[in-house]
Amino acid sequence: MLTVTAHGPDTALPPLVIAPGLFGSGRNWGVIAKNLSKERRVLALDLRNHGDSFWDESHTYPDMAADIAQVIEAEGRACDMLGHSMGGKAAMMLALTHPGLVDRLVVADIAPIAYSHGATHEGLIDAMQGLKIDDLTSRTEADRRLAETVRDKGTRAFLLQSLELRDGPVRWKLNLAALKANLPAILGWPDLPAEAQPFAGPSLFLSGALSNYLQAEAHEKIRALFPHADFQVIEGAGHWLHAERPRQVEAAIAAFLARQL
């Protein structure tokens, strides 16, 4: 099963399950998860081929939805679901194909459409694969080396959270080969299986005002699959809205989950 970091005690409220985006892990959502766990149990996931979860050659949205379903089934009751970017697509697939497992859905800065950012993501994978890591002893030196191919400091800081420097040989806690091979599937949106149905529960689609991932023209496609969707823009945030405006994102999620069904 996926690696799960649990925050907070069980309560009468449905647990909240968090699915991070590409190159991310449950630890990226640690502070938000901890704060939201004051009201409910929060489960932050490492998706397959990420963090401490298992590696597999396949990395499709039906795969990821099935992985998350296993976690929720182990909880023994339906959960609220939050997913960012790739994790948001996995969360949508789960809600469309396993509706009995999801009470409410929050999707952060992604739509159920195909994207054309392949060259950017492949470049980041190439940079990580090309980084000399066998003799690294500090994150500062790793950052200096990675800066030769990844210019943006924030992007480097995010990627380097997945570089394991402490326990055993230095390694990436990402299955970079599998992620690169599956990039078309990750950036795409598959044909839905015959059993898929529009999600009848409440859903919230958050977008970063400075991001181009979730545009107004995608709202019609979203509402066809999620007829009760609400949309909210996080001002001053780009695609990694939870890192750039964490308190605003946290407040939006908390307010949505607090609404009466």
Side-chain angles (χ1 to χ4, degrees), residues 24-248:
S25 66
R27 66 179 291 189
N28 303 141
W29 286 82
V31 175
I32 291 177
K34 183 177 180 181
N35 290 340
L36 291 174
S37 73
K38 295 172 184 175
E39 299 293 332
R40 69 187 66 236
R41 178 171 158 88
V42 178
L43 306 174
L45 308 180
D46 292 351
L47 297 182
R48 62 170 56 204
N49 295 314
H50 289 72
D52 292 319
S53 282
F54 62 88
W55 287 16
D56 193 277
E57 291 183 1
S58 183
H59 196 94
T60 69
Y61 289 111
D63 288 337
M64 287 181 271
D67 295 341
I68 300 169
Q70 188 180 32
V71 173
I72 296 176
E73 287 164 352
E75 283 295 297
R77 56 172 168 161
C79 293
D80 295 326
M81 189 72 221
L82 162 63
H84 170 246
S85 196
M86 179 189 73
K89 284 188 172 182
M92 286 188 279
M93 182 62 70
L94 174 72
L96 295 168
T97 56
H98 299 76
L101 298 182
V102 180
D103 277 344
R104 307 179 199 226
L105 174 69
V106 182
V107 177
D109 211 56
I110 203 73
I113 59 175
Y115 289 85
S116 58
H117 303 109
T120 299
H121 290 87
E122 188 168 349
L124 294 177
I125 292 175
D126 288 343
M128 286 184 278
Q129 288 179 318
L131 186 69
K132 187 175 186 297
I133 62 175
D134 57 329
D135 62 341
L136 280 174
T137 57
S138 74
R139 210 162 294 277
T140 300
E141 174 59 17
D143 181 71
R144 188 193 68 77
R145 295 182 188 180
L146 193 59
E148 295 177 8
T149 49
V150 179
R151 305 301 181 192
D152 183 70
K153 183 177 181 179
T155 302
R156 294 198 307 274
F158 171 66
L159 297 177
L160 289 172
Q161 289 186 50
S162 292
L163 185 66
E164 179 58 70
L165 282 166
R166 284 179 273 181
D167 301 322
V170 179
R171 65 183 183 93
W172 289 103
K173 297 175 75 172
L174 297 164
N175 186 350
L176 295 171
L179 295 176
K180 186 173 183 177
N182 285 276
L183 265 182
I186 294 169
L187 294 170
W189 177 248
D191 293 334
L192 294 173
E195 68 271 16
Q197 295 183 358
F199 177 61
S203 55
L204 173 66
F205 284 74
L206 298 173
S207 60
L210 307 179
S211 171
N212 62 359
Y213 275 74
L214 179 48
Q215 300 290 315
E217 51 263 33
H219 288 193
E220 184 178 353
K221 175 71 179 288
I222 290 169
R223 284 211 166 97
L225 298 175
F226 304 93
H228 302 291
D230 290 332
F231 297 89
Q232 184 171 341
V233 177
I234 304 297
E235 296 298 333
H239 182 57
W240 289 329
L241 62 176
H242 59 294
E244 298 165 7
R245 294 291 185 270
R247 300 292 76 78
Q248 291 92 321

